[in-house]
């Protein structure tokens, strides 16, 4: 077996979870997401609020130290609609993941549009994960 392959992985870091939810709660250091979203239905003039949870994990060769993470929300054309502030995350090999939760309030004018929004998790300005979420018009009965 060639051990050089493992040593030359250059310290891979991955985004192992990228989840949208209606909200979250944190109690005694434990995070609970509630209302996991598979589509966004704008609520009219007041806009739409949701959170994005991202979890970053490094292999055993990942260099420790501070890294910068953020979440971007873009439209189908790649135009940034919203972005989170930058978060400091610390990774040191396989020692525990780094997680962030970003809150978003999309403007109400998206309410009449249907399409796809892209949610991207970036670490040090590199997109590590991306997911598409449908934007659907809310029907009133």
């Amino acid at each position: 077996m060639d051990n050089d392959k493992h040593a030359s992985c250059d310290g891979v870091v991955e985004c192992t979870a990228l989840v949208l939810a209606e909200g979250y709660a944190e109690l005694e250091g434990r995070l609970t997401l509630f209302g996991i979203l598979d589509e966004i239905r704008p609520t009219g003039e007041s806009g739409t609020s949701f959170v994005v949870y991202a979890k970053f994990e490094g292999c055993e060769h990942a260099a420790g130290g501070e890294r910068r993470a953020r979440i971007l929300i873009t439209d189908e054309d790649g135009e940034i609609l919203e972005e989170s502030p930058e978060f400091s995350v610390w990774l040191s090999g396989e020692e525990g993941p780094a997680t962030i939760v970003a809150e978003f309030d999309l403007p109400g004018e998206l309410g009449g549009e249907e399409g796809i929004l892209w949610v991207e998790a970036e670490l040090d300005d590199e997109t590590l994960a991306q997911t598409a979420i449908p934007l659907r018009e809310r029907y009133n009965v």
Side-chain angles (χ1 to χ4, degrees):
M1 187 168 159
D2 187 2
N3 288 333
D4 289 337
K5 286 183 181 178
H6 297 291
S8 65
C9 75
D10 294 327
V12 174
V13 176
E14 298 179 315
C15 180
T16 57
L18 185 60
V19 180
L20 280 75
E22 292 177 4
Y24 75 103
E26 193 169 353
L27 181 63
E28 297 177 6
R30 299 192 70 152
L31 185 74
T32 301
L33 298 173
F34 56 88
I36 303 300
L37 299 172
D38 60 0
E39 65 183 11
I40 295 177
R41 293 190 178 260
T43 57
E45 293 178 18
S46 62
T48 301
S49 297
F50 59 93
V51 299
V52 177
Y53 166 84
K55 177 176 161 186
F56 300 96
E57 294 183 81
C59 76
E60 65 186 23
H61 305 108
E66 181 182 18
R67 299 193 181 206
R68 309 300 293 168
R70 69 182 178 153
I71 304 295
L72 302 174
I73 308 293
T74 62
D75 64 14
E76 292 172 281
D77 299 323
E79 182 179 330
I80 296 173
L81 300 174
E82 295 283 329
E83 64 183 272
S84 73
E86 283 194 341
F87 295 88
S88 281
V89 295
W90 294 83
L91 294 168
S92 181
E94 293 179 317
E95 292 180 21
T99 61
I100 62 173
V101 177
E103 297 181 40
F104 290 94
D105 291 310
L106 292 180
E109 62 258 14
L110 290 177
E113 298 178 23
E114 289 204 8
I116 300 288
L117 295 179
W118 289 93
V119 180
E120 300 177 23
E122 284 189 351
L123 187 67
D124 294 333
D125 294 323
E126 179 183 348
T127 299
L128 295 187
Q130 185 179 58
T131 189
I133 187 157
L135 180 65
R136 307 233 191 258
E137 186 175 344
R138 183 175 295 267
Y139 297 104
N140 293 327
V141 181

